[in-house]
């Protein structure tokens, strides 16, 4: 790569320009990168005509032009996959492997099983999972409200060429979100999973914000955090239940999980990607998870 990577302009496709995908697409476009948003007909038309509009205390309020299509038709440096698990299968039809070519596939999905799924469809050494910490919502097609004072991204990918990861992380960091490349894909994914699973499962099963879960259901939360940490450790991830509890305690009490928001809106839940994956990993490693098993079962019954 002859370019100075700090000033290299990339071409990035974004599959699912919603809260997270739309925010990253807009920030990258504003920084001068070429961005192609991939979405359904109506959303693609809206984006082509009106652009992406962002409201953010951190990055400012701005509108930016992006390209938009229903399908990827040319190679890109990277394709960010920002759809929910519940629509991943059908959404991937918009990104034919032949069109993608040598591009990185960068899933921003919850859970731990999707990289293996993506590696059966795309070049295994180009699948680069990312973990993003952000609260961002699509309030209308092409209109994104970024609510959190932070946006941080960890990029990883066992076997992916380091210079490709560095170039993308550098482009993202230059566009706004704090971005870094981390080794050990399993550790990165389980760090997110050990935080997310107890939070998502308990806020959803009780229909309560985090503040009430951590006070009224403290014992259950503690037990679930300990179970999740044990599964994480068995999978090569971090295991620090006390740290996880301290992080929950630091969040604003009204905080809701995205799974809880989906439940309230009557949308399909990412229960299998989060709860199901946790139980499958526990089963694979012989870790007993009675609380997780009960809570996932209750949620499965409730959503039937």
């Amino acid at each position: 790569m002859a370019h100075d990577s700090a000033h290299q302009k990339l071409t990035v496709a974004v599959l699912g320009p919603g809260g997270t995908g739309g925010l990253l697409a807009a920030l990258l476009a504003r920084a001068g990168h070429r961005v192609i948003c991939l979405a359904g007909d109506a959303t693609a038309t809206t984006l082509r005509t009106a652009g992406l509009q962002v409201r953010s205390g951190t990055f400012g309020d701005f509108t930016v032009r992006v390209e938009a299509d229903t399908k990827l038709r040319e190679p890109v440096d990277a394709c960010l996959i920002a759809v929910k698990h519940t629509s991943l299968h059908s959404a991937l039809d918009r990104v034919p492997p032949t069109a993608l070519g040598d591009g990185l596939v960068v899933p921003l999905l919850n859970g731990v099983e999707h990289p293996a799924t993506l590696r059966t469809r795309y070049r295994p050494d180009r699948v680069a999972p990312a973990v993003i910490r952000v609260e961002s919502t699509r309030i209308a097609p092409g209109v994104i409200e970024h609510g959190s004072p932070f946006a941080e991204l960890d990029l990883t990918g066992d076997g992916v060429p380091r210079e490709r990861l560095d170039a993308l992380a550098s482009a993202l960091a230059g566009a706004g979100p704090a971005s870094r490349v981390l080794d050990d894909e399993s550790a990165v994914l389980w760090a997110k999973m050990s935080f997310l699973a107890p939070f998502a499962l308990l806020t959803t099963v009780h229909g309560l914000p985090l503040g009430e879960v951590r006070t009224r259901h403290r014992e259950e939360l503690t037990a679930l955090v300990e179970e999740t940490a044990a599964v994480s450790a068995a999978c090569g991830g971090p295991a620090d239940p006390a740290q996880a509890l301290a992080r929950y305690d630091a969040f604003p009490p009204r905080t809701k999980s995205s799974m809880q928001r989906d439940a309230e809106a009557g949308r399909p839940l990412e229960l299998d990607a989060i709860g199901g994956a946790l139980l499958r990993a526990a089963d694979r490693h012989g870790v007993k998870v009675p609380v997780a098993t009960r809570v996932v079962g209750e949620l499965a019954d409730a959503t039937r």
Side-chain angles (χ1 to χ4, degrees), residues 149-191:
F150 53 84
E152 303 163 349
L153 192 132
D154 294 337
L155 192 59
T156 183
D158 296 347
V160 179
R162 180 69 188 224
E163 65 275 11
R164 296 290 300 272
L165 296 173
D166 286 337
L168 180 57
S170 160
L172 286 161
S179 303
R180 56 186 182 167
V181 177
L182 296 178
D183 294 326
D184 194 346
E185 183 178 308
S186 186
V188 172
L189 292 170
W190 275 100

Side-chain angles (χ1 to χ4, degrees), residues 7-261:
H7 301 291
Q8 198 195 9
K9 293 299 180 231
L10 301 182
T11 299
V12 179
V14 177
L15 178 65
T20 300
L23 179 65
L24 295 178
L27 291 170
L28 285 166
R30 180 170 73 165
H33 300 279
R34 183 178 169 216
V35 174
I36 305 165
C37 291
L38 302 172
D41 271 319
T43 299
T45 302
T46 302
L47 294 180
R48 272 198 299 271
T49 49
L52 272 169
Q53 186 187 336
V54 171
R55 303 172 195 167
S56 167
T58 308
F59 302 121
D61 297 355
F62 65 97
T63 301
V64 68
R65 293 246 159 241
V66 290
E67 295 175 48
D69 207 336
T70 55
K71 202 168 217 169
L72 186 67
R73 301 174 199 281
E74 60 184 285
V76 291
D77 293 301
C79 178
L80 309 183
I81 298 185
V83 294
K84 292 233 169 192
H85 263 281
T86 46
S87 57
L88 178 64
H89 191 70
S90 56
L92 289 178
D93 290 343
R94 302 193 192 284
V95 187
T98 46
L100 182 65
D102 185 46
L104 294 184
V105 174
V106 184
L108 298 157
L109 282 78
N110 291 325
V112 291
E113 295 174 339
H114 57 275
T117 306
L118 290 166
R119 287 189 172 110
T120 62
R121 178 176 167 92
Y122 303 103
R123 276 186 62 168
D125 59 344
R126 292 294 181 271
V127 173
V131 162
I132 189 163
R133 289 175 289 280
V134 70
E135 196 179 314
S136 188
T137 314
R138 180 186 105 143
I139 52 179
V143 184
I144 310 297
E145 208 160 67
H146 169 221
S148 58
F150 53 84
E152 303 163 349
L153 192 132
D154 294 337
L155 192 59
T156 183
D158 296 347
V160 179
R162 180 69 188 224
E163 65 275 11
R164 296 290 300 272
L165 296 173
D166 286 337
L168 180 57
S170 160
L172 286 161
S179 303
R180 56 186 182 167
V181 177
L182 296 178
D183 294 326
D184 194 346
E185 183 178 308
S186 186
V188 172
L189 292 170
W190 275 100
K192 167 85 181 257
M193 182 77 153
S194 356
F195 172 77
L196 178 72
F199 167 51
L201 295 171
L202 289 188
T203 51
T204 308
V205 80
H206 293 299
L208 293 172
L210 181 56
E212 291 183 66
V213 167
R214 70 190 177 208
T215 51
R216 289 165 55 181
H217 301 280
R218 185 77 179 185
E219 207 173 308
E220 189 181 31
L221 177 63
T222 305
L224 187 52
V225 165
E226 285 169 355
E227 289 180 5
T228 307
V231 178
S232 175
C235 296
D240 191 342
Q243 188 198 20
L245 283 166
R247 277 182 69 191
Y248 297 135
D249 286 338
F251 268 70
R254 304 301 308 157
T255 305
K256 293 180 174 187
S257 66
S258 60
M259 186 187 284
Q260 181 183 6
R261 289 182 195 281

